[in-house]
Amino acid sequence: MSPSFLAAAVSTVAAAAFTGMLVRRCTRVQRLDLIAWSVAAAGLAIALAAQALGYHQGFGSTTFRAVQIGGRLIAPLALCWGLAEVVGRTFLARFGSRLALLALFVIGSVILVLDPLASVTFSTAWPAAATYYEPIPNAVLLLIAVATAGWAVVALAVAGVRARGEPGWRGPFPARGAGAIAVLLPQGLQGDRPVGSSHP
């Protein structure tokens, strides 16, 4: 049993438990930011579960796509959605953010699901997106990574400005900052590695 499988399996359990906690809270407090965090946690749990299965039985087209879509599409975009809900000053800003993120999700999911994969044999080694995806889906993944990183920086800047001008925002500011940093984590965790790498 490889260390990579064990790490991915433990992470999957933790992500699933966290998703369950968020979903239970959503049933009590129905807020869009909590729904967004729940979707992000679920996407990350799916990606980690696919990693665990791939390290144990060998990756394939389904597990490869699940890792990319769950970890590099759903999780970061949902985290950005949650940030937009908590830092957006007006309804128009929040609504515009939802539309932009929804467009990225729809376009990205169609391309990442339907684009044919390269004819490279899968194994239990980490399947780098650059190896198995064609140029267009790789460009989409890069666009999402850049867009979500920029989104996190803007959200952090907005939260900082509001914390300086509105005393009520000073206490929650560290949590907003942590949320902005969290947007970057799925991209780092799912970043491409050499095809022979076995680390999660």
Side-chain angles (χ1 to χ4, degrees):
M1 192 173 296
S2 71
S4 297
F5 166 71
L6 290 175
V10 170
S11 299
T12 300
V13 173
F18 187 59
T19 303
M21 291 172 53
L22 287 171
V23 169
R24 283 197 298 273
R25 188 169 180 188
C26 283
T27 60
R28 298 194 301 268
V29 183
Q30 296 182 355
R31 291 180 2 208
L32 287 178
D33 59 320
L34 288 177
I35 295 173
W37 306 140
S38 301
V39 172
L44 192 56
I46 290 169
L48 290 167
Q51 277 191 29
L53 186 62
Y55 286 131
H56 184 60
Q57 297 182 351
F59 286 93
S61 60
T62 301
T63 50
F64 169 75
R65 291 184 196 272
V67 169
Q68 301 302 321
I69 293 169
R72 300 183 70 182
L73 178 73
I74 295 175
L77 290 181
L79 285 168
C80 286
W81 173 28
L83 276 178
E85 296 298 332
V86 297
V87 304
R89 185 182 292 271
T90 65
F91 171 77
L92 185 59
R94 294 190 296 271
F95 183 72
S97 298
R98 293 170 202 159
L99 286 181
L101 291 169
L102 180 61
L104 267 177
F105 171 75
V106 171
I107 294 170
S109 59
V110 168
I111 292 174
L112 295 180
V113 169
L114 298 181
D115 198 83
L117 301 179
S119 56
V120 180
T121 304
F122 285 98
S123 67
T124 56
W126 174 259
T131 301
Y132 292 92
Y133 268 141
E134 299 295 335
I136 291 178
N138 277 308
V140 168
L141 289 174
L142 178 60
L143 172 64
I144 292 169
V146 171
T148 53
W151 201 285
V153 171
V154 170
L156 187 58
V158 170
V161 170
R162 295 190 69 176
R164 291 184 63 184
E166 303 175 29
W169 268 68
R170 291 172 188 165
F173 176 72
R176 267 79 175 185
I181 294 171
V183 171
L184 307 176
L185 293 180
Q187 299 298 340
L189 290 172
Q190 306 298 336
D192 290 340
R193 300 164 181 80
V195 178
S197 173
S198 62
H199 297 289

